[in-house]
Amino acid sequence: MSWATRAVSALLTAAVAASVAACTSEDNSAQDAASCVYQVTYDGRTYRDVANVEFTVGSKLGAATQPPCDDTGDQGKGDEPSTTETAYAVDGVSPKVAIAVGDTPDDVKLVAVYSGNELPSEVKKLISSP
């Protein structure tokens, strides 16, 4: 193999390695986009998703807004619009602490106002034991 052939081969290998690294970075961005925390805003407060909770849906409160996920650093993508869902009261819990959100009362999830990473005590009481 001549020196020129080896140099071209080395350059092609470097180009392939760089394109693989670029794809890996892009793939990580796609995974990061899927890692957005589910949150909504209602009545000036931000609520985040709570799992493994048994609760009773109360009366309809109004509209809660889910902001678009933007954890990709806005890499040349257009602005995604916010979406709205219906907010419902949760029996026995103040709407200032937690609400249920969804399209219908039968298809809701509980969201709560966290203090840092700490759930309010009213919501902790609702979490089902394993």
Side-chain angles (χ1 to χ4, degrees), residues 45-96:
R45 290 177 292 279
T46 300
Y47 299 79
R48 294 188 319 203
D49 191 22
V50 181
N52 303 320
V53 180
E54 291 185 30
F55 62 94
T56 303
V57 177
S59 61
K60 184 176 177 180
L61 298 172
T65 303
Q66 182 181 9
C69 179
D70 185 23
D71 67 349
T72 61
D74 202 17
Q75 297 173 349
K77 296 185 179 185
D79 291 332
E80 294 180 28
S82 297
T83 58
T84 58
E85 296 181 88
T86 303
Y88 298 91
V90 174
D91 284 352
V93 180
S94 168
K96 292 179 181 180

Side-chain angles (χ1 to χ4, degrees), residues 46 48 112-120:
T46 300
R48 294 188 319 203
V113 176
Y114 284 70
S115 177
N117 286 326
E118 189 71 25
L119 277 171

